[in-house]
Amino acid sequence: MAINKGEKVACAFLDSRKAFDVIDHVTLLNKLQAHGVSGTILEWMNSYLSERTHLVSCGGTTSSKKAISHRVPKGSILGPALFNVHINGIRSACQNYNFALYADDTEFHASSMNIDTAEDIVNSDPRSISSWFNLSGLVCNTKKSEVMLIGTNHAVRAARELKVIPDDKPLKQSEHFKY
């Protein structure tokens, strides 16, 4: 992202609570089909997601197996890609900002010469983000979500603190964010 002299960028980094665990397999398969996946590949994806079980083993004790109808396997190569298919619809729900999506990390931002304008754009439709998250089974973890102001050192030092408020809870502002 290129920043012009004096320009300020308001960035919000949203963390999704248990994001990989809430994805419904039927919904995901329907989204894959809507994106043009069909035939053998769709059958393979159905096989990959179906008939999965989960158990917990600790200290020599093992639980019984439970069937899994939700969840994208973590630690797999396909996991982040499947999650991206699931979350990609957020772009149509919230069109006022620029997005960067990777797995359960959602970053959206707006830039302007005026901090108030950048903040207003980022806050312009927080209900859409909240609604979309809820409809998709996702929950924004505001404790791990942050907002950051990006610009020249002078522009950032001279600016007031950002107030970005999705889900009626203001996000904490940070000077650094590991993305």
Side-chain angles (χ1 to χ4, degrees), residues 48-169:
Y48 177 72
L49 294 170
S50 299
E51 300 180 25
R52 287 188 165 270
T53 58
H54 178 78
L55 64 85
V56 175
S57 181
C58 183
T61 303
T62 302
S63 70
S64 60
K65 290 182 180 180
K66 300 284 182 188
I68 298 173
S69 63
H70 290 69
R71 182 176 294 158
V72 173
K74 292 181 188 173
S76 68
I77 292 172
L78 282 177
L82 291 173
F83 187 83
N84 279 343
V85 168
H86 177 71
I87 197 170
N88 197 42
I90 195 170
R91 292 178 190 278
S92 62
C94 310
Q95 298 176 357
N96 294 327
Y97 2 84
N98 295 305
F99 280 91
L101 303 172
Y102 179 72
D104 59 344
D105 294 322
T106 303
E107 179 268 332
F108 60 96
H109 62 274
S111 61
S112 175
M113 298 301 279
N114 181 308
I115 188 174
D116 295 327
T117 303
E119 181 183 79
D120 286 347
I121 293 169
V122 169
N123 277 314
S124 66
D125 210 359
R127 298 272 185 246
S128 287
I129 288 178
S130 179
S131 289
W132 193 91
F133 265 63
N134 289 334
L135 286 172
S136 298
L138 300 172
V139 176
C140 179
N141 185 354
T142 53
K143 290 180 182 177
K144 289 185 175 181
S145 298
E146 297 180 13
V147 65
M148 184 170 64
L149 182 64
I150 299 173
T152 63
N153 285 336
H154 175 72
V156 171
R157 278 195 303 267
R160 64 171 174 74
E161 189 167 309
L162 289 169
K163 290 182 178 74
V164 176
I165 310 170
D167 274 342
D168 298 322
K169 296 175 186 168

